[in-house]
Amino acid sequence: FVLVTILSHSHRLGAADHAESLYGKAASNYHRLYDDPVFASNSENWLRTIKQFQIVQHTYPSHYRAPASLYNTGRLYRSLFQIKKRRIFLDRSSLTFRKLIEDYPKSKLADDGQFLLAENYGRFEKNKHLAVLEYKNLLNWFPESDFRKDAEKRIQLLQPPHKDLQI
């Protein structure tokens, strides 16, 4: 029994170390994409970095790096959309932020993902209705969010109060 417990514990430590190693490689490439224009000019480097983060989240969903892996994946897809102007990348960004919010609602990054999801709708899709809905979700689901004031301002900009109609 003691040997089984020791082996089980060392396996868990090995998995945690492996997750950390994978995340570190992905994070290194993430920073390189934003710091090295030559590296960033190759779309394959973007997709490879996204895949590295996805592997961390899929393989180790309970590891503390899993929410950050989703968050970074969403941001990378969003940046790729801004560079390539391909709608598929914006859709994947939004889906990834939604997965972060749904799978890790208690993560300190969940409200960040919620804000960026709302911003995807408002800024890139020009869908005021969905943007307002997602900003309101941020206010309801994450009342202590550091994005609260920004979300309130965006709601006011996108949905100004109705003036009384006079006939």
Side-chain angles (χ1 to χ4, degrees):
F1 174 75
V2 172
L3 181 59
V4 170
T5 303
I6 291 170
L7 289 175
S8 174
H9 183 66
S10 74
H11 176 70
R12 273 186 267 131
L13 285 177
D17 289 345
H18 189 244
E20 195 64 41
S21 173
L22 289 173
Y23 183 86
K25 289 175 186 170
S28 176
N29 283 340
Y30 178 92
H31 294 294
R32 193 168 170 206
L33 284 166
Y34 292 102
D35 295 338
D36 180 346
V38 174
F39 187 74
S41 67
N42 183 342
S43 295
E44 288 303 312
N45 291 331
W46 289 87
L47 297 172
R48 185 179 312 108
T49 304
I50 287 168
K51 188 69 175 166
Q52 289 171 323
F53 280 123
Q54 289 173 331
I55 288 170
V56 172
Q57 194 277 323
H58 289 296
T59 308
Y60 304 102
S62 60
H63 191 272
Y64 81 99
R65 294 288 196 183
S69 294
L70 280 173
Y71 177 77
N72 291 332
T73 298
R75 296 225 13 176
L76 287 167
Y77 273 132
R78 181 178 156 128
S79 293
L80 207 46
F81 165 75
Q82 290 175 284
I83 294 165
K84 298 292 185 182
K85 306 295 185 218
R86 291 189 52 212
R87 174 63 188 248
I88 186 75
F89 296 130
L90 183 61
D91 291 344
R92 287 180 180 172
S93 173
S94 295
L95 286 170
T96 303
F97 288 136
R98 187 156 320 277
K99 182 170 178 54
L100 168 63
I101 297 156
E102 291 174 1
D103 291 2
Y104 304 97
K106 296 190 184 311
S107 166
K108 66 180 181 171
L109 293 171
D111 66 317
D112 298 52
Q114 182 65 50
F115 186 82
L116 292 175
L117 175 62
E119 200 174 62
N120 279 358
Y121 288 127
R123 183 174 167 196
F124 300 118
E125 290 193 28
K126 307 294 188 216
N127 187 328
K128 290 180 181 183
H129 175 73
L130 282 178
V132 167
L133 177 69
E134 295 300 347
Y135 285 124
K136 287 181 177 179
N137 285 342
L138 183 138
L139 298 177
N140 292 329
W141 298 339
F142 307 102
E144 303 301 317
S145 173
D146 49 343
F147 289 102
R148 183 175 188 79
K149 291 206 182 301
D150 286 331
E152 290 169 344
K153 286 178 191 172
R154 303 265 174 109
I155 290 169
Q156 290 302 313
L157 288 171
L158 294 169
Q159 183 183 11
H162 294 98
K163 297 187 175 167
D164 291 338
L165 293 175
Q166 295 181 4
I167 298 178

